[in-house]
Amino acid sequence: MKLLGKILLTLVLLLLLALVALYLLLQTQWGAGWISRTVNQHTSYQLAFSKLEHNFSDPAQFVLNDVSFGQKAAPALLTARHVTLTLSGAQFTAPGHFAAIALQEGMLRISDSGSPLPFEADRLQLIEMSVNRAGGEWPLSAQQVNGGILPWKPVEGDLIGTDASFQASAGALSLNGIPAKNVLLQGRISKQQLIMSNIGADVALGSITTSAQRDAQGAWQVANLRLNSIRLQSSESLTGFLSPLKKLSHVHFNRIDVTGARLEGADWAVTDLNLALKDITLHNGDWESNDGSLSMNARSFVNGSLQLNDPIVNMTFSPEGVSLNQLSSRWVNGLIRTSGKWSRSDKKLTLDELAVAGIEYTLPLNWRERWMATLPGWLSAVEVTKFEANRNLIIDINPDFPFQMTALDGSGKNLLLARQHQWGIWSGDLRFNAAEATFNRVDMRHPSIALSANDEAIKVTEMSAFIQEGMAEGLATLSQQPQRALSLTLRGREVPVNLLQRWGWPEVALEGNGDLQLTLTGNLAADQPLKPTVNGRLSVTSGERTLQQTLQAGQPIAVP
């Protein structure tokens, strides 16, 4: 019996010695290599680390140094200077479940497909880590990440899991190309519901704070979004810059506050923007609101050739459309002011009042093409109930027919300026007069025009101007049908006999001043020249001489 006891004691001692030897060997480079080779040979993963450390003061904790881990024949999912694994009683039934996992000073690569790591833990801790996701709709790159997930049970396509609380900070982060610093995230995910209780970051020399949540169907609810002193530059046009908003499937904003923002892109910019937007939902490129509002002002807004200074906008939203309570701005040294509403059902914009005062505006060279262009789908009609213009300067530098109107005043009522997505003067009454004007180098004093429009025609009921020592008056009718039939009568008393030459009529073989009378018909159809359609008759009297000219469409001038 004593011999048997000695043998058993010797075996126990040898076993303990072997365990101690194995324990010591595992903490050497040989042990690290043996563990790595075992994992590499018997799993689909690739593991490498330089050393395993253990301390009996914390017996459940093991530290791996200089770790690289990932799937074979693929970039490493994880690299870290230290990986601390804390064992738990669940290890016996679930070897991949740890009490805690701490990743320190490395990089974690997020994959949208498959579990990024074949482990789980009661707590995952990140210490000075980098987190990257190259693909997906929102590419991510974050540095100096510190935080934790509790508990951490990653599932396919989701690093955090389906039921966990998380908190993280990042010294620097880039999300879909937008850089940020000093980022803070706090929240929870539960059964596909994501609650972001606190989001904060320094973005574009300013700051952003918000809280939001996403339901199981993917709809977002943003409680408060605040952007302060943002300074953002983009290479996109204004349409391209705003295009991500159209891609949002369903996002509701309780409130958005923007203060002191400066944004700049390709051929557009806005400075010192202040904005408050309440209760609006963006849904598949459209918007919805039951009782929303927008208040906005800026120092300047530039988009191409359009520049607005000190613009102010106040509007409210409803299921029926938009109420434009106020829109005012300084524009080309003058002021523009309006209010009205936009109806969702018929896409019609109705301006109760439109006032333009003191502007000095040079028309773009392609203003005629813009006038003929089709309006966007959201704008079918434009109606102005009351129109006023005071002391304006309008200039057209088109070399074919330049003109200028100085101290231009105007008034109008019930003007339908667009219908079926097409600009025009479709109905209403309109009157203009100016102190001076020049039309293709013909100077005028006190020109005035009055017209009335309906579905059938635009009728010019008054047209007059003083020209040198004389005066010219006329009447005209322009059909609203596609051929745009035009009829015009013009009378002049003591005006230059070749007054009409600069306006396209052939030269008259007379000199000096005289009386003239013109009757003319033609077609002003879109994209068709007027001159080949003109039929006209001109009678000119200078002193005792009278000359008559007849112009027939497509025929040379005839002199009786």
Side-chain angles (χ1 to χ4, degrees):
M1 292 294 294
K2 290 183 179 181
L3 180 61
L4 180 61
K6 290 180 179 180
I7 294 173
L8 291 175
L9 179 60
T10 302
L11 291 174
V12 170
L13 291 175
L14 290 174
L15 179 61
L16 290 175
L17 182 61
L19 290 175
V20 170
L22 179 62
Y23 171 76
L24 295 175
L25 285 173
L26 288 177
Q27 297 184 63
T28 65
Q29 290 185 350
W30 178 90
W34 179 80
I35 295 174
S36 298
R37 288 191 298 273
T38 301
V39 172
N40 298 342
Q41 291 173 4
H42 296 90
T43 71
S44 60
Y45 292 95
Q46 188 80 19
L47 172 65
F49 65 97
S50 63
K51 187 178 182 182
L52 171 67
E53 293 182 0
H54 179 262
N55 194 321
F56 279 104
S57 63
D58 196 348
Q61 191 175 89
F62 294 84
V63 180
L64 306 181
N65 295 329
D66 304 320
V67 177
S68 176
F69 180 83
Q71 293 181 337
K72 293 180 179 179
L77 294 172
L78 169 67
T79 58
R81 184 175 182 182
H82 304 291
V83 174
T84 302
L85 304 174
T86 303
L87 304 181
S88 70
Q91 228 81 46
F92 294 102
T93 57
H97 184 94
F98 294 85
I101 299 177
L103 311 178
Q104 184 176 357
E105 298 180 21
M107 185 273 292
L108 177 62
R109 190 186 308 275
I110 299 175
S111 175
D112 289 334
S113 60
S115 299
L117 293 171
F119 309 114
E120 61 183 41
D122 295 332
R123 182 181 72 251
L124 173 68
Q125 185 176 5
L126 305 180
I127 304 171
E128 294 296 318
M129 290 288 292
S130 295
V131 179
N132 294 313
R133 181 176 65 188
E137 186 177 357
W138 296 92
L140 170 70
S141 175
Q143 291 77 42
Q144 299 175 338
V145 178
N146 295 278
I149 302 173
L150 183 72
W152 180 56
K153 296 181 179 180
V155 296
E156 183 176 352
D158 194 335
L159 174 67
I160 297 177
T162 59
D163 190 0
S165 298
F166 57 87
Q167 177 174 321
S169 65
L173 180 146
S174 177
L175 181 62
N176 200 27
I178 300 176
K181 296 181 179 180
N182 303 322
V183 181
L184 173 64
L185 300 175
Q186 293 176 321
R188 175 177 179 79
I189 186 169
S190 177
K191 297 179 180 179
Q192 296 184 328
Q193 290 185 337
L194 175 63
I195 300 173
M196 306 289 287
S197 56
N198 188 14
I199 303 174
D202 294 335
V203 178
L205 302 179
S207 63
I208 176 174
T209 59
T210 187
S211 59
Q213 64 182 43
R214 184 195 66 196
D215 62 22
Q217 288 71 42
W220 282 90
Q221 182 90 10
V222 181
N224 293 286
L225 175 61
R226 298 183 179 91
L227 296 94
N228 183 50
S229 300
I230 297 295
R231 304 290 187 268
L232 183 62
Q233 288 187 325
S234 171
S235 59
E236 298 282 352
S237 65
L238 183 59
T239 301
F241 181 75
L242 298 176
S243 62
L245 297 178
K246 297 181 179 180
K247 300 178 182 179
L248 299 176
S249 58
H250 190 101
V251 179
H252 177 79
F253 294 95
N254 288 353
R255 184 181 179 95
I256 300 176
D257 289 290
V258 179
T259 58
R262 297 188 178 184
L263 311 175
E264 183 178 351
D267 207 25
W268 67 274
V270 58
T271 60
D272 296 342
L273 172 66
N274 299 296
L275 178 150
L277 178 63
K278 302 177 183 179
D279 186 25
I280 192 165
T281 301
L282 302 181
H283 180 65
N284 293 330
D286 202 354
W287 63 269
E288 301 172 1
S289 180
N290 290 324
D291 189 21
S293 64
L294 171 66
S295 298
M296 181 172 59
N297 65 79
R299 175 177 295 181
S300 65
F301 171 77
V302 177
N303 187 18
S305 61
L306 174 66
Q307 178 172 348
L308 302 177
N309 295 315
D310 300 322
I312 299 175
V313 178
N314 290 299
M315 59 179 64
T316 56
F317 307 101
S318 68
E320 290 74 27
V322 180
S323 294
L324 182 61
N325 304 318
Q326 178 187 10
L327 190 157
S328 63
S329 177
R330 293 191 296 112
W331 178 47
V332 287
N333 299 325
L335 176 68
I336 182 170
R337 183 185 73 253
T338 189
S339 62
K341 62 181 180 181
W342 174 82
S343 174
R344 182 187 293 273
S345 59
D346 56 6
K347 306 297 188 294
K348 181 179 180 180
L349 175 64
T350 302
L351 300 179
D352 301 326
E353 180 182 8
L354 175 61
V356 182
I359 67 170
E360 300 173 1
Y361 184 53
T362 299
L363 296 169
L365 292 176
N366 65 339
W367 71 266
R368 293 173 179 82
E369 288 78 6
R370 294 186 182 184
W371 179 258
M372 299 301 298
T374 302
L375 292 175
W378 62 268
L379 186 59
S380 174
V382 177
E383 183 175 5
V384 179
T385 304
K386 182 181 179 181
F387 170 74
E388 292 184 358
N390 295 287
R391 310 295 295 177
N392 299 292
L393 172 64
I394 305 297
I395 302 172
D396 186 357
I397 59 175
N398 190 313
D400 294 334
F401 197 93
F403 64 82
Q404 175 177 314
M405 293 177 284
T406 306
L408 178 66
D409 298 336
S411 63
K413 62 180 182 180
N414 301 325
L415 294 168
L416 184 61
L417 298 181
R419 71 176 185 185
Q420 298 177 0
H421 305 282
Q422 186 62 60
W423 289 113
I425 304 177
W426 302 106
S427 66
D429 301 316
L430 187 61
R431 177 182 292 271
F432 285 107
N433 62 81
E436 296 178 343
T438 299
F439 289 91
N440 201 21
R441 295 175 290 278
V442 175
D443 296 330
M444 299 181 178
R445 304 185 313 278
H446 303 295
S448 66
I449 185 171
L451 58 86
S452 178
N454 55 35
D455 290 340
E456 297 179 355
I458 301 174
K459 295 183 179 181
V460 179
T461 56
E462 176 190 340
M463 183 169 55
S464 64
F466 292 97
I467 303 175
Q468 294 187 7
E469 293 83 9
M471 180 178 183
E473 298 176 299
L475 301 172
T477 300
L478 178 64
S479 170
Q480 298 278 34
Q481 301 304 313
Q483 73 275 11
R484 293 286 182 176
L486 170 68
S487 63
L488 169 70
T489 61
L490 181 65
R491 298 184 302 276
R493 297 188 298 275
E494 292 299 318
V495 297
V497 292
N498 274 297
L499 168 67
L500 303 181
Q501 183 180 354
R502 292 192 179 274
W503 299 346
W505 191 268
E507 183 180 3
V508 176
L510 295 174
E511 297 181 353
N513 295 336
D515 299 337
L516 60 85
Q517 183 168 346
L518 171 71
T519 60
L520 180 146
T521 62
N523 294 325
L524 275 175
D527 301 324
Q528 298 294 328
L530 170 65
K531 189 172 182 180
T533 68
V534 170
N535 292 287
R537 185 177 181 86
L538 175 66
S539 176
V540 182
T541 299
S542 178
E544 296 182 354
R545 295 188 59 189
T546 299
L547 179 66
Q548 293 184 346
Q549 291 180 330
T550 301
L551 181 65
Q552 295 182 349
Q555 300 295 324
I557 189 77
V559 181

Coordinates of all heavy atoms in Angstrom, one line a residue, residues 110 129-145 169-185 200-204 232:
I110 N -14.9 46.0 -39.7 CA -16.3 45.6 -39.6 C -16.7 45.1 -41.0 O -16.4 45.7 -42.0 CB -17.2 46.8 -39.2 CG1 -16.8 47.3 -37.8 CG2 -18.7 46.4 -39.3 CD1 -17.6 48.5 -37.4
M129 N -8.5 52.0 -30.0 CA -8.6 51.1 -31.2 C -9.0 52.0 -32.4 O -9.5 53.1 -32.3 CB -9.7 50.1 -31.0 CG -9.3 49.0 -30.0 SD -8.0 47.9 -30.6 CE -8.9 47.0 -31.9
S130 N -8.8 51.4 -33.6 CA -9.3 51.9 -34.9 C -10.4 51.0 -35.3 O -10.3 49.8 -35.2 CB -8.2 52.1 -35.9 OG -7.3 53.0 -35.5
V131 N -11.5 51.6 -35.9 CA -12.6 50.8 -36.4 C -12.8 51.2 -37.8 O -13.0 52.4 -38.1 CB -13.9 51.0 -35.6 CG1 -15.0 50.1 -36.1 CG2 -13.6 50.6 -34.1
N132 N -12.9 50.2 -38.8 CA -13.0 50.5 -40.2 C -14.1 49.7 -40.8 O -14.2 48.5 -40.5 CB -11.7 50.3 -40.9 CG -10.6 51.3 -40.5 OD1 -10.9 52.5 -40.4 ND2 -9.4 50.8 -40.2
R133 N -14.8 50.3 -41.7 CA -15.8 49.6 -42.6 C -15.7 50.2 -44.0 O -16.1 51.3 -44.2 CB -17.2 49.6 -42.1 CG -18.2 48.9 -43.0 CD -19.6 48.8 -42.4 NE -20.1 50.2 -42.4 CZ -21.3 50.5 -41.8 NH1 -22.0 49.5 -41.1 NH2 -21.8 51.7 -41.8
A134 N -15.1 49.4 -44.9 CA -14.8 50.0 -46.2 C -16.0 50.0 -47.1 O -16.3 50.9 -47.9 CB -13.7 49.2 -46.9
G135 N -16.9 49.0 -47.0 CA -18.0 48.9 -47.9 C -19.3 49.4 -47.3 O -19.3 50.1 -46.3
G136 N -20.4 49.0 -47.9 CA -21.7 49.4 -47.3 C -22.1 50.8 -47.8 O -21.4 51.5 -48.4
E137 N -23.3 51.1 -47.4 CA -23.9 52.4 -47.7 C -23.2 53.6 -47.0 O -23.1 54.7 -47.5 CB -25.4 52.4 -47.4 CG -26.1 53.7 -47.9 CD -27.6 53.6 -47.7 OE1 -28.1 52.6 -47.2 OE2 -28.3 54.6 -48.0
W138 N -22.7 53.3 -45.8 CA -22.0 54.3 -45.0 C -20.6 53.9 -44.6 O -20.4 53.3 -43.5 CB -22.9 54.6 -43.7 CG -24.2 55.2 -44.0 CD1 -25.4 54.5 -44.2 CD2 -24.5 56.6 -44.2 NE1 -26.4 55.4 -44.5 CE2 -25.9 56.7 -44.5 CE3 -23.8 57.8 -44.2 CZ2 -26.6 57.9 -44.7 CZ3 -24.4 59.0 -44.4 CH2 -25.8 59.0 -44.7
P139 N -19.6 54.1 -45.5 CA -18.3 53.7 -45.1 C -17.8 54.4 -43.9 O -18.1 55.6 -43.7 CB -17.5 54.1 -46.4 CG -18.5 54.2 -47.5 CD -19.8 54.6 -46.8
L140 N -17.1 53.7 -43.0 CA -16.7 54.3 -41.7 C -15.2 54.1 -41.5 O -14.6 53.0 -41.8 CB -17.5 53.5 -40.6 CG -17.1 53.8 -39.1 CD1 -17.4 55.2 -38.7 CD2 -17.7 52.8 -38.2
S141 N -14.6 55.1 -40.9 CA -13.2 55.0 -40.4 C -13.1 55.8 -39.1 O -13.4 57.0 -39.1 CB -12.2 55.5 -41.5 OG -10.9 55.5 -41.0
A142 N -12.7 55.1 -38.0 CA -12.6 55.8 -36.7 C -11.3 55.5 -36.1 O -10.8 54.3 -36.2 CB -13.8 55.4 -35.8
Q143 N -10.7 56.5 -35.4 CA -9.5 56.3 -34.7 C -9.6 56.7 -33.2 O -10.5 57.5 -32.9 CB -8.3 57.1 -35.3 CG -7.9 56.6 -36.7 CD -8.9 57.0 -37.8 OE1 -9.4 58.2 -37.8 NE2 -9.2 56.1 -38.7
Q144 N -8.7 56.2 -32.4 CA -8.7 56.5 -31.0 C -10.1 56.2 -30.3 O -10.7 57.0 -29.6 CB -8.3 58.0 -30.7 CG -6.9 58.3 -31.2 CD -6.6 59.8 -31.1 OE1 -7.5 60.6 -31.0 NE2 -5.3 60.1 -31.0
V145 N -10.6 55.0 -30.6 CA -11.9 54.6 -30.2 C -11.8 54.0 -28.8 O -11.0 53.0 -28.6 CB -12.6 53.6 -31.1 CG1 -13.9 53.1 -30.6 CG2 -12.7 54.2 -32.5
S169 N -16.4 56.5 -27.6 CA -15.9 57.8 -28.0 C -14.8 57.6 -29.0 O -14.1 56.5 -29.0 CB -15.3 58.6 -26.8 OG -14.2 57.9 -26.3
A170 N -14.6 58.6 -29.9 CA -13.6 58.5 -30.9 C -12.9 59.8 -31.1 O -13.6 60.9 -31.1 CB -14.2 58.0 -32.3
G171 N -11.6 59.8 -31.1 CA -10.8 61.0 -31.3 C -11.1 61.6 -32.7 O -11.2 62.8 -32.9
A172 N -11.2 60.7 -33.7 CA -11.4 61.2 -35.1 C -12.3 60.1 -35.8 O -12.1 58.9 -35.5 CB -10.1 61.4 -35.8
L173 N -13.2 60.6 -36.7 CA -14.1 59.7 -37.4 C -14.4 60.2 -38.7 O -14.6 61.5 -38.8 CB -15.3 59.4 -36.5 CG -16.4 58.5 -37.1 CD1 -17.1 57.7 -35.9 CD2 -17.5 59.3 -37.8
S174 N -14.6 59.3 -39.7 CA -15.0 59.7 -41.0 C -16.2 58.8 -41.4 O -16.0 57.6 -41.5 CB -13.9 59.7 -42.1 OG -14.4 60.0 -43.4
L175 N -17.4 59.4 -41.6 CA -18.6 58.6 -42.0 C -19.0 59.1 -43.3 O -19.4 60.2 -43.5 CB -19.7 58.8 -40.9 CG -21.0 58.1 -41.2 CD1 -20.7 56.5 -41.1 CD2 -22.0 58.5 -40.2
N176 N -18.9 58.1 -44.3 CA -19.3 58.4 -45.7 C -18.6 59.7 -46.2 O -19.2 60.5 -46.9 CB -20.9 58.6 -45.8 CG -21.4 58.5 -47.2 OD1 -20.8 57.8 -48.0 ND2 -22.5 59.2 -47.5
G177 N -17.3 59.8 -45.9 CA -16.5 60.9 -46.4 C -16.6 62.2 -45.5 O -15.9 63.2 -45.8
I178 N -17.5 62.2 -44.5 CA -17.6 63.4 -43.7 C -16.8 63.2 -42.4 O -17.0 62.3 -41.6 CB -19.1 63.6 -43.3 CG1 -20.0 63.8 -44.6 CG2 -19.3 64.9 -42.4 CD1 -21.4 63.9 -44.3
P179 N -15.8 64.1 -42.2 CA -14.9 63.9 -41.1 C -15.5 64.5 -39.8 O -16.2 65.5 -39.9 CB -13.6 64.6 -41.5 CG -14.1 65.7 -42.4 CD -15.3 65.1 -43.1
A180 N -15.1 64.0 -38.6 CA -15.6 64.5 -37.3 C -14.5 64.2 -36.3 O -13.7 63.3 -36.5 CB -16.9 63.9 -36.9
K181 N -14.5 65.0 -35.2 CA -13.6 64.8 -34.1 C -14.4 64.7 -32.8 O -15.5 65.2 -32.7 CB -12.5 65.9 -34.1 CG -11.6 65.9 -35.3 CD -10.6 67.0 -35.2 CE -9.7 67.1 -36.4 NZ -8.7 68.2 -36.3
N182 N -13.7 64.2 -31.8 CA -14.2 64.1 -30.5 C -15.7 63.6 -30.5 O -16.6 64.3 -30.0 CB -14.2 65.5 -29.8 CG -12.8 66.1 -29.8 OD1 -11.8 65.3 -29.5 ND2 -12.6 67.4 -30.0
V183 N -15.9 62.4 -31.0 CA -17.2 61.8 -31.2 C -17.6 61.1 -30.0 O -16.8 60.4 -29.4 CB -17.2 60.9 -32.4 CG1 -18.6 60.3 -32.6 CG2 -16.7 61.7 -33.7
L184 N -18.9 61.2 -29.6 CA -19.4 60.5 -28.4 C -20.7 59.8 -28.8 O -21.6 60.5 -29.4 CB -19.7 61.4 -27.2 CG -20.4 60.8 -26.0 CD1 -19.5 59.7 -25.4 CD2 -20.8 61.9 -25.0
L185 N -20.8 58.5 -28.6 CA -22.0 57.8 -28.9 C -22.5 57.0 -27.6 O -21.7 56.3 -27.0 CB -21.8 56.7 -30.0 CG -21.3 57.3 -31.4 CD1 -21.0 56.1 -32.3 CD2 -22.4 58.1 -32.0
G200 N -22.7 63.1 -30.1 CA -22.1 64.4 -30.1 C -20.8 64.3 -30.9 O -20.1 63.3 -30.8
A201 N -20.4 65.4 -31.6 CA -19.2 65.4 -32.3 C -18.8 66.8 -32.7 O -19.7 67.7 -32.8 CB -19.3 64.5 -33.6
D202 N -17.5 67.0 -32.9 CA -17.0 68.3 -33.6 C -16.9 68.0 -35.1 O -16.1 67.1 -35.5 CB -15.7 68.7 -33.0 CG -15.8 69.1 -31.5 OD1 -16.9 69.5 -31.1 OD2 -14.7 68.9 -30.8
V203 N -17.7 68.7 -35.9 CA -17.7 68.5 -37.3 C -17.5 69.8 -38.0 O -18.2 70.8 -37.7 CB -19.1 67.9 -37.7 CG1 -19.2 67.7 -39.2 CG2 -19.4 66.6 -37.0
A204 N -16.6 69.8 -39.0 CA -16.4 71.0 -39.9 C -16.2 72.3 -39.1 O -16.9 73.3 -39.3 CB -17.5 71.1 -40.9
L232 N -18.5 74.0 -43.7 CA -18.4 72.7 -44.5 C -18.2 73.1 -45.9 O -18.9 74.0 -46.5 CB -19.7 71.9 -44.4 CG -19.8 70.6 -45.1 CD1 -18.7 69.7 -44.6 CD2 -21.1 70.0 -45.0

